[in-house]
Amino acid sequence: MELKFLHILTYLSLALVASHAALPVTYWTTKLPNTPMPKAIKESLQPSGLTEDKSTSVDVGKGGVNVGVHKGHTSGGTNVNVGGHKGGVNVDTPGGTHVGVGKGGVGVTTPGHHGKPPVSVGVQPGPSPFLYNYAAKDDQLNDNPNVALFFLEKDLHQGSNMNLQFVKNANGASFLPREEADSIPFSSEKMPEILNQFSVDPDSEDGQIMKQTVQECEEPGIKGEEKYCATSLESMVDFTTSKLGNKVQPLSTETQKENTQMQKYTILGAKKMGNNNNNDKSVVCHKQNYAYAVFYCHKTETTESYMVSLVGADGTKVKAVAVCHKDTSQWNPKHLAFKVLKVTPGSVPVCHFLPQDHIVWVPKN
């Protein structure tokens, strides 16, 4: 237990050191000067002063790492709790920081500004609907927020109404610096070692979800698709610039306020993104459920990206990213989009809005 405890705390300390956490930001500014970070990337960065918020809380699911940092008060302290099936070890000093190491993973939380609670993380088992070779189950048409995200390109115009649900990001997993991420195995054959490193029960829901994420990353893409799972911000930037060049613009969906209810939204306007020469090229990166930030990125030649302004029935304004796929002929015929829209592969362009923690990269104008 003592050796395991020391191992976890050593790993955790790496995630909390500001110099390590700043590495992805430094790489970004060097590789992509004068390129603003979209909200989805900012929220996936480690804490230690990397965002403008007075408090930061980053969660990594039940099987991973949860880090919260509070700024603005001089008083502080640390509580270390190592739990398991039969109790644990506690180390306390005055203040509000709590470090918990239980059978589900590692957690570090500190009360936020004015008592703001840390963000909780929830993950849903099942394949991602944003994978082209994914086959949906019939029961996934019910009570699934992703169902509402798909629509036909002909409906992308001012005045069009859609029933949508923009919910708060459930997956708060944060980026590790590339050096740290590269030191951790990421393959199906190493899964026992990976789960043991994060203290995740292989038979638990978290364990199954992590296995599925790695398997999806290892599967070959469909014809015409170039795919890559980025385990760090640096590797995401490298993959994207290798496909689109260094003059790129990353975009993510942003809402005026969080709304957990399905409601009618009206499109106020839609602007096609990307330059005139490469407006059918983009790299879309979907955040996966994992112990730290992993993004499933893929590039195709037949996509168009839009920034869409919407307003909800309750007045909520949303700037949403929409991606339209002009050629779906290679998609799985049982993909969720076809079930929702009642169309067949390759018949019509299929569009979808991106959840708030996903990113589309397009060539700059």
Side-chain angles (χ1 to χ4, degrees), residues 120-152:
S120 62
V121 171
V123 295
Q124 297 293 328
S128 168
F130 303 106
L131 307 182
Y132 304 144
N133 57 3
Y134 152 75
K137 297 180 180 178
D138 290 337
D139 59 3
Q140 288 182 282
L141 292 174
N142 301 318
D143 301 322
N144 185 346
N146 290 320
V147 168
L149 296 177
F150 291 96
F151 61 97
L152 296 177

PDB file of all heavy atoms in Angstrom, residues 120-152:
ATOM      1  N   SER A 120     -18.479  17.775 -11.420  1.00  0.00           N
ATOM      2  CA  SER A 120     -18.560  16.317 -11.375  1.00  0.00           C
ATOM      3  C   SER A 120     -18.518  15.776 -12.792  1.00  0.00           C
ATOM      4  O   SER A 120     -18.892  16.450 -13.748  1.00  0.00           O
ATOM      5  CB  SER A 120     -19.853  15.867 -10.697  1.00  0.00           C
ATOM      6  OG  SER A 120     -20.973  16.312 -11.435  1.00  0.00           O
ATOM      7  N   VAL A 121     -18.045  14.557 -12.934  1.00  0.00           N
ATOM      8  CA  VAL A 121     -17.880  13.956 -14.247  1.00  0.00           C
ATOM      9  C   VAL A 121     -18.774  12.746 -14.377  1.00  0.00           C
ATOM     10  O   VAL A 121     -18.828  11.910 -13.492  1.00  0.00           O
ATOM     11  CB  VAL A 121     -16.420  13.532 -14.472  1.00  0.00           C
ATOM     12  CG1 VAL A 121     -16.287  12.700 -15.738  1.00  0.00           C
ATOM     13  CG2 VAL A 121     -15.542  14.744 -14.560  1.00  0.00           C
ATOM     14  N   GLY A 122     -19.463  12.647 -15.479  1.00  0.00           N
ATOM     15  CA  GLY A 122     -20.259  11.469 -15.777  1.00  0.00           C
ATOM     16  C   GLY A 122     -19.914  10.981 -17.161  1.00  0.00           C
ATOM     17  O   GLY A 122     -19.723  11.775 -18.072  1.00  0.00           O
ATOM     18  N   VAL A 123     -19.782   9.701 -17.338  1.00  0.00           N
ATOM     19  CA  VAL A 123     -19.497   9.137 -18.649  1.00  0.00           C
ATOM     20  C   VAL A 123     -20.554   8.107 -18.982  1.00  0.00           C
ATOM     21  O   VAL A 123     -21.086   7.442 -18.102  1.00  0.00           O
ATOM     22  CB  VAL A 123     -18.094   8.486 -18.698  1.00  0.00           C
ATOM     23  CG1 VAL A 123     -17.028   9.528 -18.512  1.00  0.00           C
ATOM     24  CG2 VAL A 123     -17.959   7.393 -17.647  1.00  0.00           C
ATOM     25  N   GLN A 124     -20.873   8.000 -20.246  1.00  0.00           N
ATOM     26  CA  GLN A 124     -21.868   7.058 -20.715  1.00  0.00           C
ATOM     27  C   GLN A 124     -21.184   5.961 -21.520  1.00  0.00           C
ATOM     28  O   GLN A 124     -20.433   6.251 -22.442  1.00  0.00           O
ATOM     29  CB  GLN A 124     -22.910   7.766 -21.586  1.00  0.00           C
ATOM     30  CG  GLN A 124     -23.715   8.824 -20.853  1.00  0.00           C
ATOM     31  CD  GLN A 124     -24.603   8.223 -19.793  1.00  0.00           C
ATOM     32  OE1 GLN A 124     -25.085   7.107 -19.936  1.00  0.00           O
ATOM     33  NE2 GLN A 124     -24.816   8.959 -18.716  1.00  0.00           N
ATOM     34  N   PRO A 125     -21.443   4.691 -21.190  1.00  0.00           N
ATOM     35  CA  PRO A 125     -20.862   3.610 -21.979  1.00  0.00           C
ATOM     36  C   PRO A 125     -21.488   3.556 -23.362  1.00  0.00           C
ATOM     37  O   PRO A 125     -22.581   4.058 -23.593  1.00  0.00           O
ATOM     38  CB  PRO A 125     -21.208   2.362 -21.155  1.00  0.00           C
ATOM     39  CG  PRO A 125     -22.433   2.739 -20.380  1.00  0.00           C
ATOM     40  CD  PRO A 125     -22.287   4.208 -20.086  1.00  0.00           C
ATOM     41  N   GLY A 126     -20.789   2.937 -24.294  1.00  0.00           N
ATOM     42  CA  GLY A 126     -21.299   2.815 -25.657  1.00  0.00           C
ATOM     43  C   GLY A 126     -20.417   3.553 -26.629  1.00  0.00           C
ATOM     44  O   GLY A 126     -19.744   4.514 -26.271  1.00  0.00           O
ATOM     45  N   PRO A 127     -20.399   3.120 -27.897  1.00  0.00           N
ATOM     46  CA  PRO A 127     -19.548   3.755 -28.911  1.00  0.00           C
ATOM     47  C   PRO A 127     -19.941   5.200 -29.157  1.00  0.00           C
ATOM     48  O   PRO A 127     -21.086   5.593 -28.985  1.00  0.00           O
ATOM     49  CB  PRO A 127     -19.800   2.889 -30.161  1.00  0.00           C
ATOM     50  CG  PRO A 127     -20.399   1.624 -29.654  1.00  0.00           C
ATOM     51  CD  PRO A 127     -21.147   1.980 -28.421  1.00  0.00           C
ATOM     52  N   SER A 128     -18.988   5.989 -29.587  1.00  0.00           N
ATOM     53  CA  SER A 128     -19.248   7.391 -29.897  1.00  0.00           C
ATOM     54  C   SER A 128     -20.051   7.494 -31.193  1.00  0.00           C
ATOM     55  O   SER A 128     -19.723   6.836 -32.186  1.00  0.00           O
ATOM     56  CB  SER A 128     -17.929   8.149 -30.049  1.00  0.00           C
ATOM     57  OG  SER A 128     -18.158   9.422 -30.624  1.00  0.00           O
ATOM     58  N   PRO A 129     -21.092   8.326 -31.231  1.00  0.00           N
ATOM     59  CA  PRO A 129     -21.863   8.499 -32.461  1.00  0.00           C
ATOM     60  C   PRO A 129     -21.126   9.302 -33.516  1.00  0.00           C
ATOM     61  O   PRO A 129     -21.636   9.475 -34.618  1.00  0.00           O
ATOM     62  CB  PRO A 129     -23.109   9.243 -31.973  1.00  0.00           C
ATOM     63  CG  PRO A 129     -22.647  10.004 -30.785  1.00  0.00           C
ATOM     64  CD  PRO A 129     -21.632   9.116 -30.118  1.00  0.00           C
ATOM     65  N   PHE A 130     -19.913   9.794 -33.191  1.00  0.00           N
ATOM     66  CA  PHE A 130     -19.167  10.597 -34.147  1.00  0.00           C
ATOM     67  C   PHE A 130     -18.092   9.771 -34.864  1.00  0.00           C
ATOM     68  O   PHE A 130     -17.224  10.321 -35.529  1.00  0.00           O
ATOM     69  CB  PHE A 130     -18.549  11.801 -33.446  1.00  0.00           C
ATOM     70  CG  PHE A 130     -19.594  12.647 -32.759  1.00  0.00           C
ATOM     71  CD1 PHE A 130     -19.722  12.630 -31.385  1.00  0.00           C
ATOM     72  CD2 PHE A 130     -20.473  13.425 -33.495  1.00  0.00           C
ATOM     73  CE1 PHE A 130     -20.696  13.384 -30.746  1.00  0.00           C
ATOM     74  CE2 PHE A 130     -21.452  14.182 -32.863  1.00  0.00           C
ATOM     75  CZ  PHE A 130     -21.565  14.161 -31.491  1.00  0.00           C
ATOM     76  N   LEU A 131     -18.171   8.457 -34.723  1.00  0.00           N
ATOM     77  CA  LEU A 131     -17.303   7.559 -35.472  1.00  0.00           C
ATOM     78  C   LEU A 131     -18.098   7.047 -36.673  1.00  0.00           C
ATOM     79  O   LEU A 131     -19.217   6.560 -36.522  1.00  0.00           O
ATOM     80  CB  LEU A 131     -16.835   6.387 -34.603  1.00  0.00           C
ATOM     81  CG  LEU A 131     -16.178   6.745 -33.265  1.00  0.00           C
ATOM     82  CD1 LEU A 131     -15.714   5.486 -32.550  1.00  0.00           C
ATOM     83  CD2 LEU A 131     -15.007   7.683 -33.483  1.00  0.00           C
ATOM     84  N   TYR A 132     -17.516   7.115 -37.856  1.00  0.00           N
ATOM     85  CA  TYR A 132     -18.248   6.788 -39.076  1.00  0.00           C
ATOM     86  C   TYR A 132     -18.614   5.302 -39.172  1.00  0.00           C
ATOM     87  O   TYR A 132     -19.609   4.953 -39.804  1.00  0.00           O
ATOM     88  CB  TYR A 132     -17.430   7.172 -40.310  1.00  0.00           C
ATOM     89  CG  TYR A 132     -17.000   8.618 -40.357  1.00  0.00           C
ATOM     90  CD1 TYR A 132     -15.765   8.988 -40.876  1.00  0.00           C
ATOM     91  CD2 TYR A 132     -17.836   9.631 -39.881  1.00  0.00           C
ATOM     92  CE1 TYR A 132     -15.369  10.317 -40.925  1.00  0.00           C
ATOM     93  CE2 TYR A 132     -17.452  10.962 -39.922  1.00  0.00           C
ATOM     94  CZ  TYR A 132     -16.209  11.289 -40.450  1.00  0.00           C
ATOM     95  OH  TYR A 132     -15.831  12.603 -40.483  1.00  0.00           O
ATOM     96  N   ASN A 133     -17.786   4.430 -38.580  1.00  0.00           N
ATOM     97  CA  ASN A 133     -18.064   3.000 -38.678  1.00  0.00           C
ATOM     98  C   ASN A 133     -18.907   2.491 -37.511  1.00  0.00           C
ATOM     99  O   ASN A 133     -19.047   1.292 -37.312  1.00  0.00           O
ATOM    100  CB  ASN A 133     -16.749   2.202 -38.757  1.00  0.00           C
ATOM    101  CG  ASN A 133     -15.846   2.471 -37.561  1.00  0.00           C
ATOM    102  OD1 ASN A 133     -16.217   3.200 -36.652  1.00  0.00           O
ATOM    103  ND2 ASN A 133     -14.651   1.888 -37.577  1.00  0.00           N
ATOM    104  N   TYR A 134     -19.472   3.418 -36.752  1.00  0.00           N
ATOM    105  CA  TYR A 134     -20.250   3.079 -35.574  1.00  0.00           C
ATOM    106  C   TYR A 134     -21.675   2.663 -35.949  1.00  0.00           C
ATOM    107  O   TYR A 134     -22.332   3.314 -36.759  1.00  0.00           O
ATOM    108  CB  TYR A 134     -20.267   4.293 -34.647  1.00  0.00           C
ATOM    109  CG  TYR A 134     -21.461   4.462 -33.742  1.00  0.00           C
ATOM    110  CD1 TYR A 134     -21.616   3.674 -32.613  1.00  0.00           C
ATOM    111  CD2 TYR A 134     -22.417   5.445 -34.017  1.00  0.00           C
ATOM    112  CE1 TYR A 134     -22.706   3.856 -31.778  1.00  0.00           C
ATOM    113  CE2 TYR A 134     -23.498   5.628 -33.193  1.00  0.00           C
ATOM    114  CZ  TYR A 134     -23.643   4.819 -32.066  1.00  0.00           C
ATOM    115  OH  TYR A 134     -24.717   4.998 -31.250  1.00  0.00           O
ATOM    116  N   ALA A 135     -22.152   1.549 -35.381  1.00  0.00           N
ATOM    117  CA  ALA A 135     -23.518   1.076 -35.594  1.00  0.00           C
ATOM    118  C   ALA A 135     -24.332   1.332 -34.338  1.00  0.00           C
ATOM    119  O   ALA A 135     -23.964   0.884 -33.247  1.00  0.00           O
ATOM    120  CB  ALA A 135     -23.516  -0.414 -35.931  1.00  0.00           C
ATOM    121  N   ALA A 136     -25.418   2.064 -34.479  1.00  0.00           N
ATOM    122  CA  ALA A 136     -26.252   2.414 -33.326  1.00  0.00           C
ATOM    123  C   ALA A 136     -27.198   1.265 -32.983  1.00  0.00           C
ATOM    124  O   ALA A 136     -27.670   0.545 -33.861  1.00  0.00           O
ATOM    125  CB  ALA A 136     -27.056   3.675 -33.628  1.00  0.00           C
ATOM    126  N   LYS A 137     -27.469   1.133 -31.703  1.00  0.00           N
ATOM    127  CA  LYS A 137     -28.481   0.189 -31.255  1.00  0.00           C
ATOM    128  C   LYS A 137     -29.834   0.887 -31.268  1.00  0.00           C
ATOM    129  O   LYS A 137     -29.923   2.102 -31.100  1.00  0.00           O
ATOM    130  CB  LYS A 137     -28.148  -0.308 -29.845  1.00  0.00           C
ATOM    131  CG  LYS A 137     -26.837  -1.079 -29.761  1.00  0.00           C
ATOM    132  CD  LYS A 137     -26.557  -1.542 -28.336  1.00  0.00           C
ATOM    133  CE  LYS A 137     -25.242  -2.310 -28.258  1.00  0.00           C
ATOM    134  NZ  LYS A 137     -24.939  -2.734 -26.865  1.00  0.00           N
ATOM    135  N   ASP A 138     -30.868   0.117 -31.450  1.00  0.00           N
ATOM    136  CA  ASP A 138     -32.205   0.707 -31.558  1.00  0.00           C
ATOM    137  C   ASP A 138     -32.592   1.501 -30.316  1.00  0.00           C
ATOM    138  O   ASP A 138     -33.251   2.533 -30.409  1.00  0.00           O
ATOM    139  CB  ASP A 138     -33.242  -0.394 -31.811  1.00  0.00           C
ATOM    140  CG  ASP A 138     -33.108  -0.993 -33.209  1.00  0.00           C
ATOM    141  OD1 ASP A 138     -32.555  -0.301 -34.083  1.00  0.00           O
ATOM    142  OD2 ASP A 138     -33.534  -2.142 -33.399  1.00  0.00           O
ATOM    143  N   ASP A 139     -32.152   1.021 -29.139  1.00  0.00           N
ATOM    144  CA  ASP A 139     -32.559   1.703 -27.916  1.00  0.00           C
ATOM    145  C   ASP A 139     -31.842   3.034 -27.717  1.00  0.00           C
ATOM    146  O   ASP A 139     -32.191   3.814 -26.837  1.00  0.00           O
ATOM    147  CB  ASP A 139     -32.352   0.811 -26.684  1.00  0.00           C
ATOM    148  CG  ASP A 139     -30.902   0.385 -26.505  1.00  0.00           C
ATOM    149  OD1 ASP A 139     -30.035   0.809 -27.295  1.00  0.00           O
ATOM    150  OD2 ASP A 139     -30.631  -0.379 -25.552  1.00  0.00           O
ATOM    151  N   GLN A 140     -30.824   3.314 -28.551  1.00  0.00           N
ATOM    152  CA  GLN A 140     -30.106   4.576 -28.419  1.00  0.00           C
ATOM    153  C   GLN A 140     -30.858   5.744 -29.041  1.00  0.00           C
ATOM    154  O   GLN A 140     -30.443   6.893 -28.925  1.00  0.00           O
ATOM    155  CB  GLN A 140     -28.711   4.453 -29.032  1.00  0.00           C
ATOM    156  CG  GLN A 140     -27.777   3.589 -28.195  1.00  0.00           C
ATOM    157  CD  GLN A 140     -26.390   3.526 -28.783  1.00  0.00           C
ATOM    158  OE1 GLN A 140     -26.148   2.798 -29.739  1.00  0.00           O
ATOM    159  NE2 GLN A 140     -25.478   4.287 -28.223  1.00  0.00           N
ATOM    160  N   LEU A 141     -31.970   5.471 -29.696  1.00  0.00           N
ATOM    161  CA  LEU A 141     -32.786   6.548 -30.247  1.00  0.00           C
ATOM    162  C   LEU A 141     -33.618   7.220 -29.172  1.00  0.00           C
ATOM    163  O   LEU A 141     -34.184   8.290 -29.386  1.00  0.00           O
ATOM    164  CB  LEU A 141     -33.707   5.998 -31.343  1.00  0.00           C
ATOM    165  CG  LEU A 141     -33.006   5.531 -32.624  1.00  0.00           C
ATOM    166  CD1 LEU A 141     -34.012   4.884 -33.561  1.00  0.00           C
ATOM    167  CD2 LEU A 141     -32.318   6.690 -33.317  1.00  0.00           C
ATOM    168  N   ASN A 142     -33.688   6.590 -28.008  1.00  0.00           N
ATOM    169  CA  ASN A 142     -34.500   7.128 -26.920  1.00  0.00           C
ATOM    170  C   ASN A 142     -33.615   7.746 -25.849  1.00  0.00           C
ATOM    171  O   ASN A 142     -32.619   7.157 -25.434  1.00  0.00           O
ATOM    172  CB  ASN A 142     -35.351   6.015 -26.293  1.00  0.00           C
ATOM    173  CG  ASN A 142     -36.276   5.368 -27.308  1.00  0.00           C
ATOM    174  OD1 ASN A 142     -36.877   6.051 -28.126  1.00  0.00           O
ATOM    175  ND2 ASN A 142     -36.384   4.046 -27.253  1.00  0.00           N
ATOM    176  N   ASP A 143     -33.974   8.943 -25.401  1.00  0.00           N
ATOM    177  CA  ASP A 143     -33.300   9.616 -24.291  1.00  0.00           C
ATOM    178  C   ASP A 143     -31.807   9.783 -24.525  1.00  0.00           C
ATOM    179  O   ASP A 143     -30.996   9.641 -23.610  1.00  0.00           O
ATOM    180  CB  ASP A 143     -33.540   8.858 -22.972  1.00  0.00           C
ATOM    181  CG  ASP A 143     -35.009   8.747 -22.632  1.00  0.00           C
ATOM    182  OD1 ASP A 143     -35.731   9.732 -22.881  1.00  0.00           O
ATOM    183  OD2 ASP A 143     -35.422   7.692 -22.137  1.00  0.00           O
ATOM    184  N   ASN A 144     -31.406  10.063 -25.751  1.00  0.00           N
ATOM    185  CA  ASN A 144     -29.999  10.266 -26.076  1.00  0.00           C
ATOM    186  C   ASN A 144     -29.830  11.673 -26.633  1.00  0.00           C
ATOM    187  O   ASN A 144     -30.311  11.975 -27.732  1.00  0.00           O
ATOM    188  CB  ASN A 144     -29.545   9.226 -27.112  1.00  0.00           C
ATOM    189  CG  ASN A 144     -28.053   9.315 -27.409  1.00  0.00           C
ATOM    190  OD1 ASN A 144     -27.385  10.292 -27.050  1.00  0.00           O
ATOM    191  ND2 ASN A 144     -27.513   8.297 -28.054  1.00  0.00           N
ATOM    192  N   PRO A 145     -29.147  12.567 -25.896  1.00  0.00           N
ATOM    193  CA  PRO A 145     -28.981  13.951 -26.376  1.00  0.00           C
ATOM    194  C   PRO A 145     -28.306  14.045 -27.734  1.00  0.00           C
ATOM    195  O   PRO A 145     -28.529  15.003 -28.476  1.00  0.00           O
ATOM    196  CB  PRO A 145     -28.114  14.597 -25.288  1.00  0.00           C
ATOM    197  CG  PRO A 145     -28.302  13.756 -24.084  1.00  0.00           C
ATOM    198  CD  PRO A 145     -28.516  12.356 -24.589  1.00  0.00           C
ATOM    199  N   ASN A 146     -27.467  13.049 -28.086  1.00  0.00           N
ATOM    200  CA  ASN A 146     -26.762  13.100 -29.362  1.00  0.00           C
ATOM    201  C   ASN A 146     -27.709  12.957 -30.550  1.00  0.00           C
ATOM    202  O   ASN A 146     -27.378  13.346 -31.668  1.00  0.00           O
ATOM    203  CB  ASN A 146     -25.700  11.999 -29.429  1.00  0.00           C
ATOM    204  CG  ASN A 146     -24.537  12.266 -28.488  1.00  0.00           C
ATOM    205  OD1 ASN A 146     -24.093  13.397 -28.357  1.00  0.00           O
ATOM    206  ND2 ASN A 146     -24.060  11.234 -27.817  1.00  0.00           N
ATOM    207  N   VAL A 147     -28.885  12.369 -30.310  1.00  0.00           N
ATOM    208  CA  VAL A 147     -29.844  12.196 -31.400  1.00  0.00           C
ATOM    209  C   VAL A 147     -30.197  13.541 -32.022  1.00  0.00           C
ATOM    210  O   VAL A 147     -30.292  13.678 -33.243  1.00  0.00           O
ATOM    211  CB  VAL A 147     -31.118  11.488 -30.877  1.00  0.00           C
ATOM    212  CG1 VAL A 147     -32.235  11.567 -31.915  1.00  0.00           C
ATOM    213  CG2 VAL A 147     -30.817  10.025 -30.539  1.00  0.00           C
ATOM    214  N   ALA A 148     -30.397  14.546 -31.166  1.00  0.00           N
ATOM    215  CA  ALA A 148     -30.827  15.857 -31.650  1.00  0.00           C
ATOM    216  C   ALA A 148     -29.736  16.611 -32.392  1.00  0.00           C
ATOM    217  O   ALA A 148     -30.022  17.610 -33.066  1.00  0.00           O
ATOM    218  CB  ALA A 148     -31.333  16.700 -30.472  1.00  0.00           C
ATOM    219  N   LEU A 149     -28.491  16.171 -32.292  1.00  0.00           N
ATOM    220  CA  LEU A 149     -27.393  16.907 -32.903  1.00  0.00           C
ATOM    221  C   LEU A 149     -27.342  16.740 -34.416  1.00  0.00           C
ATOM    222  O   LEU A 149     -26.755  17.549 -35.123  1.00  0.00           O
ATOM    223  CB  LEU A 149     -26.062  16.468 -32.291  1.00  0.00           C
ATOM    224  CG  LEU A 149     -25.871  16.752 -30.801  1.00  0.00           C
ATOM    225  CD1 LEU A 149     -24.541  16.194 -30.316  1.00  0.00           C
ATOM    226  CD2 LEU A 149     -25.939  18.248 -30.521  1.00  0.00           C
ATOM    227  N   PHE A 150     -27.953  15.668 -34.957  1.00  0.00           N
ATOM    228  CA  PHE A 150     -27.886  15.393 -36.389  1.00  0.00           C
ATOM    229  C   PHE A 150     -29.034  16.073 -37.132  1.00  0.00           C
ATOM    230  O   PHE A 150     -30.174  16.097 -36.668  1.00  0.00           O
ATOM    231  CB  PHE A 150     -27.933  13.882 -36.632  1.00  0.00           C
ATOM    232  CG  PHE A 150     -26.695  13.165 -36.170  1.00  0.00           C
ATOM    233  CD1 PHE A 150     -26.651  12.561 -34.925  1.00  0.00           C
ATOM    234  CD2 PHE A 150     -25.566  13.102 -36.973  1.00  0.00           C
ATOM    235  CE1 PHE A 150     -25.511  11.902 -34.486  1.00  0.00           C
ATOM    236  CE2 PHE A 150     -24.418  12.451 -36.546  1.00  0.00           C
ATOM    237  CZ  PHE A 150     -24.395  11.847 -35.299  1.00  0.00           C
ATOM    238  N   PHE A 151     -28.719  16.628 -38.300  1.00  0.00           N
ATOM    239  CA  PHE A 151     -29.741  17.261 -39.121  1.00  0.00           C
ATOM    240  C   PHE A 151     -29.275  17.258 -40.579  1.00  0.00           C
ATOM    241  O   PHE A 151     -28.127  16.919 -40.881  1.00  0.00           O
ATOM    242  CB  PHE A 151     -30.026  18.695 -38.651  1.00  0.00           C
ATOM    243  CG  PHE A 151     -28.834  19.626 -38.711  1.00  0.00           C
ATOM    244  CD1 PHE A 151     -28.647  20.470 -39.801  1.00  0.00           C
ATOM    245  CD2 PHE A 151     -27.911  19.673 -37.673  1.00  0.00           C
ATOM    246  CE1 PHE A 151     -27.557  21.329 -39.869  1.00  0.00           C
ATOM    247  CE2 PHE A 151     -26.815  20.526 -37.721  1.00  0.00           C
ATOM    248  CZ  PHE A 151     -26.635  21.360 -38.827  1.00  0.00           C
ATOM    249  N   LEU A 152     -30.176  17.604 -41.493  1.00  0.00           N
ATOM    250  CA  LEU A 152     -29.848  17.643 -42.911  1.00  0.00           C
ATOM    251  C   LEU A 152     -29.349  19.030 -43.306  1.00  0.00           C
ATOM    252  O   LEU A 152     -29.795  20.043 -42.760  1.00  0.00           O
ATOM    253  CB  LEU A 152     -31.072  17.281 -43.748  1.00  0.00           C
ATOM    254  CG  LEU A 152     -31.609  15.856 -43.553  1.00  0.00           C
ATOM    255  CD1 LEU A 152     -32.872  15.645 -44.373  1.00  0.00           C
ATOM    256  CD2 LEU A 152     -30.554  14.818 -43.925  1.00  0.00           C
TER     257      LEU A 152
END
